Amino acid sequence: MVYSMTAFTQYDIKNTWGNATWEIRSTNCRYLDTYIRLPEQFHCLEPVIHDRIYQKLTRGKIECHLHFNDKIKVNRILTFNKMLAMQLIQAAQWIKIKSNEEGSNIDLLAILAWPGVMNELEQDTDVIREDLLIGFNNALNDLINARKHAGNMIKNMIQQRLVNISTEINKVRQQIPKVLDWQRKRLLLKIEEARIVFDHHRLEQELLALTQKIDITEELDRLEAHIQEMYQILTTKEEPIGRRLDFMMQELNRESNTLGAKSIHISIIKSAIELKVFIEQMREQIQNIE
């Protein structure tokens, strides 16, 4: 299976406690790097999220961001501790009597500001964390599906380029006899123009040596072998294949360079250039494969 490293997903959660949104962005990277940004009250979830990402993914830069809106925080629901307030008032009155300060008044605002008298209603954070983790799992699965969809598109593109390369290889094979005959006639013409007298046996040896020097059959065979290996990787490998394909691009590029260096006819040179174009197009896309 081919998975792209480039994808984005957004997953919304709505519940009685409020709403939240997970955003996960994935870009290409040689290794697996995670960047997790959470609200302060949910920092304890970071190790869990980190582990779940590493369980599902092997390569890519993963940026994970949680947006959280607490319904109670927004509505500012407060609770009043009447018992504590009454105890504070009684204590203040007792101090007032004992200190003989009958004219002084009790500061009611100070009573309200006393810790524990007025409290902001808190929600069950354990329930919220569980809901957030369920939402994260869904978001991560969505990201994986998005990477899979993008990977299939890259796979189709690569397979089409492999077909194009095979077409160019067949074209070059068909041209080889014509090119060798053209080179033989070209060399004989030059010898004739220079009025050089060669022994027939010696001439045949020189032509054979030249033919071996410009022979590109081995390069074409290796190119076809690499193409078959790439089809094998794309269709049968279960593990991540990005690094394997990157190595195959190096091999294809090496053979196409050798083919271009040995080419002596404009038709084969053009095919060698086409091969390099197709290989470079594949290489650019393979950089995004996990």
Side-chain angles (χ1 to χ4, degrees), residues 168-179:
E168 289 298 326
I169 291 174
N170 291 332
K171 188 188 298 184
V172 171
R173 285 193 186 278
Q174 294 173 2
Q175 292 170 346
I176 288 177
K178 297 178 182 179
V179 170

Side-chain angles (χ1 to χ4, degrees), residues 39-53:
E40 184 177 355
Q41 65 269 41
F42 299 118
H43 278 177
C44 59
L45 297 179
E46 185 168 342
V48 180
I49 292 171
H50 181 274
D51 290 344
R52 292 186 181 182
I53 291 174

Side-chain angles (χ1 to χ4, degrees), residues 199-217:
D199 175 67
H200 181 73
H201 182 67
R202 174 71 183 278
L203 180 59
E204 289 298 326
Q205 286 182 330
E206 291 296 329
L207 289 172
L208 179 60
L210 178 60
T211 300
Q212 291 175 342
K213 184 177 180 180
I214 63 175
D215 182 34
I216 55 175
T217 305

Side-chain angles (χ1 to χ4, degrees), residues 1-4 6 145-161 234 281-282 285-286 288-289:
M1 188 63 66
V2 180
Y3 288 90
S4 171
T6 304
N145 289 332
R147 285 164 61 116
K148 179 180 178 180
H149 177 71
N152 284 333
M153 295 178 65
I154 295 175
K155 176 183 176 180
N156 293 335
M157 175 269 183
I158 292 173
Q159 289 178 328
Q160 182 58 53
R161 295 304 180 275
L234 288 170
Q281 289 174 349
M282 288 192 296
Q285 294 300 320
I286 286 172
N288 290 323
I289 293 180

Side-chain angles (χ1 to χ4, degrees), residues 35-269:
Y35 297 85
I36 302 170
R37 297 193 298 272
L38 304 175
E40 184 177 355
Q41 65 269 41
F42 299 118
H43 278 177
C44 59
L45 297 179
E46 185 168 342
V48 180
I49 292 171
H50 181 274
D51 290 344
R52 292 186 181 182
I53 291 174
Y54 271 76
Q55 288 171 4
K56 294 292 186 71
L57 306 175
T58 59
R59 287 182 66 193
K61 178 181 178 182
I62 311 299
E63 298 179 66
C64 179
H65 190 193
L66 172 63
H67 303 275
F68 179 76
N69 293 312
D70 189 336
K71 185 180 293 185
I72 288 181
K73 291 284 185 182
V74 173
N75 295 330
R76 302 288 295 179
I77 299 176
L78 300 176
T79 60
F80 177 53
N81 191 332
K82 295 181 181 179
M83 184 174 295
L84 178 59
M86 184 60 68
Q87 290 175 353
L88 291 171
I89 292 172
Q90 291 173 352
Q93 289 174 341
W94 182 84
I95 292 173
K96 178 180 176 182
I97 293 171
K98 292 298 181 179
S99 60
N100 295 321
E101 294 183 5
E102 296 183 1
S104 61
N105 296 322
I106 298 174
D107 189 348
L108 298 180
L109 289 179
I111 297 294
L112 291 174
W114 191 268
V117 175
M118 299 297 299
N119 293 301
E120 200 166 8
L121 187 61
E122 297 288 340
Q123 302 204 62
D124 188 345
T125 56
D126 290 339
V127 173
I128 297 175
R129 288 170 186 164
E130 183 178 351
D131 290 341
L132 291 177
L133 287 176
I134 293 173
F136 173 76
N137 289 338
N138 293 331
L140 186 58
N141 289 333
D142 288 347
L143 181 75
I144 293 172
N145 289 332
R147 285 164 61 116
K148 179 180 178 180
H149 177 71
N152 284 333
M153 295 178 65
I154 295 175
K155 176 183 176 180
N156 293 335
M157 175 269 183
I158 292 173
Q159 289 178 328
Q160 182 58 53
R161 295 304 180 275
L162 292 176
V163 171
N164 294 341
I165 291 174
S166 295
T167 301
E168 289 298 326
I169 291 174
N170 291 332
K171 188 188 298 184
V172 171
R173 285 193 186 278
Q174 294 173 2
Q175 292 170 346
I176 288 177
K178 297 178 182 179
V179 170
L180 292 177
D181 184 59
W182 169 82
Q183 178 63 12
R184 179 187 178 89
K185 291 178 180 179
R186 180 167 168 263
L187 180 60
L188 291 174
L189 181 61
K190 287 186 176 182
I191 291 174
E192 184 179 337
E193 289 176 349
R195 298 181 184 278
I196 300 173
V197 179
F198 264 100
D199 175 67
H200 181 73
H201 182 67
R202 174 71 183 278
L203 180 59
E204 289 298 326
Q205 286 182 330
E206 291 296 329
L207 289 172
L208 179 60
L210 178 60
T211 300
Q212 291 175 342
K213 184 177 180 180
I214 63 175
D215 182 34
I216 55 175
T217 305
E218 188 175 342
E219 284 73 23
L220 296 177
D221 290 342
R222 282 199 291 264
L223 281 169
E224 289 183 332
H226 294 332
I227 290 172
Q228 293 303 315
E229 178 64 19
M230 286 198 63
Y231 277 122
Q232 188 80 2
I233 293 171
L234 288 170
T235 56
T236 63
K237 297 293 182 183
E238 294 295 332
E239 70 272 12
I241 61 175
R243 289 191 174 93
R244 284 178 178 269
L245 292 177
D246 189 54
F247 173 74
M248 294 306 301
M249 288 301 99
Q250 298 176 34
E251 295 301 307
L252 284 171
N253 203 43
R254 182 181 296 111
E255 299 304 331
S256 67
N257 285 337
T258 306
L259 180 66
K262 285 186 174 184
S263 300
I264 60 173
H265 194 272
I266 187 63
S267 61
I268 297 182
I269 293 174

